[in-house]
Amino acid sequence: MSDSTTDVWETMSTARTIRRFTDEPVDDATLTKCLRAATWAPSGANAQAWKFVVLRSPELRAVVGKAAAHALDVIEPVYGMSRPAADDDSRRARNNRATYELHDRAGEFTSVLFAQQRFETASELLLGGSIFPAMQNFLLAARAQGLGACLTSWASYEGEALLREAVGMPSDWVLAGHVVVGWPRGSHGPVRRRPLSDFVALDHWDTPADRLTTG
Ligand SMILES: Cc1cc2nc3c(=O)[nH]c(=O)nc-3n(C[C@H](O)[C@H](O)[C@H](O)COP(=O)(O)O)c2cc1C
């Protein structure tokens, strides 16, 4: 069942998004390790003004299912997505098939909301900087244990109001993100990213850092 690893480089480079899960529930011990890892993340002034809400009851899962359906309505036209034909085996069709499966089955899985308390002086982006590292730690801990995970946008769009209401989130908290977890159907694998040279500059915005990154 579990494709686990303790190697940090393997963990980071193979923590790709998993959208297809078995029916096996995520046990409390495994989930707790992910949540504990989330608390090891940095936050501004070490304020740790975060809250992680595990969504597991049938009622909450039903709300997640609704939020996912709303999100799918939004992203389909944005990404030009449609349900692939049964005989289409292209990479795009396989990706889309997995994405549709995740959204269609959204109400069956355990997932976690990540929230950050608002502070008057901090912009939303700055607040995000105090919660996104926790989400990444959660994802890496999931991968290390062989668990699959998918960051979603379901707590945005119309789903935000639904989820805030359902969990009773106070208005002075920012709903920063949502992650689905489960045991993968299929395997973890290397992430696909553009070359490092596309992203790194040396001293000046327009100066490539090839000497640094290849040396
Ligand atoms: C902020 C954010 C929102 C995302 N929302 C969704 C989503 O709603 N549905 C989905 O299937 N994947 C979602 N993803 C996953 C991305 O599509 C995925 O991380 C990206 O394509 C890179 O693929 P990889 O993680 O397999 O390397 C989201 C990722 C991020 C960072």
Short mmCIF file of all heavy atoms in Angstrom, two decimals, residues 11 74 88 97 135 139:
data_model
loop_
_atom_site.label_atom_id
_atom_site.label_comp_id
_atom_site.label_asym_id
_atom_site.label_seq_id
_atom_site.Cartn_x
_atom_site.Cartn_y
_atom_site.Cartn_z
N THR A 11 11.57 12.78 -1.51
CA THR A 11 10.25 13.26 -1.07
C THR A 11 9.84 14.49 -1.89
O THR A 11 8.76 14.54 -2.48
CB THR A 11 10.27 13.61 0.43
OG1 THR A 11 10.63 12.45 1.17
CG2 THR A 11 8.90 14.11 0.88
N VAL A 74 -15.95 26.40 -12.62
CA VAL A 74 -15.10 27.57 -12.89
C VAL A 74 -13.89 27.17 -13.73
O VAL A 74 -13.54 27.85 -14.70
CB VAL A 74 -14.63 28.23 -11.57
CG1 VAL A 74 -13.62 29.34 -11.84
CG2 VAL A 74 -15.82 28.75 -10.78
N ASP A 88 -9.33 7.76 -25.60
CA ASP A 88 -8.25 8.75 -25.70
C ASP A 88 -7.21 8.47 -24.61
O ASP A 88 -7.51 8.58 -23.42
CB ASP A 88 -8.84 10.17 -25.54
CG ASP A 88 -7.81 11.25 -25.81
OD1 ASP A 88 -6.60 10.92 -25.87
OD2 ASP A 88 -8.21 12.42 -25.96
N ARG A 97 -8.86 13.07 -17.06
CA ARG A 97 -9.66 11.97 -16.48
C ARG A 97 -9.46 11.93 -14.95
O ARG A 97 -10.41 11.81 -14.19
CB ARG A 97 -9.24 10.64 -17.12
CG ARG A 97 -10.33 9.60 -17.12
CD ARG A 97 -9.96 8.40 -17.99
NE ARG A 97 -10.21 8.64 -19.40
CZ ARG A 97 -9.29 8.52 -20.37
NH1 ARG A 97 -8.06 8.15 -20.09
NH2 ARG A 97 -9.62 8.75 -21.62
N MET A 135 1.25 24.33 4.64
CA MET A 135 0.59 23.45 3.67
C MET A 135 1.63 22.60 2.95
O MET A 135 1.42 21.40 2.71
CB MET A 135 -0.22 24.28 2.67
CG MET A 135 -1.41 24.95 3.33
SD MET A 135 -2.28 26.09 2.23
CE MET A 135 -2.98 24.96 1.06
N LEU A 139 2.06 18.55 2.75
CA LEU A 139 2.16 17.77 1.50
C LEU A 139 3.38 16.87 1.50
O LEU A 139 3.32 15.71 1.07
CB LEU A 139 2.22 18.72 0.30
CG LEU A 139 0.98 19.56 0.01
CD1 LEU A 139 1.26 20.52 -1.14
CD2 LEU A 139 -0.22 18.68 -0.33
#
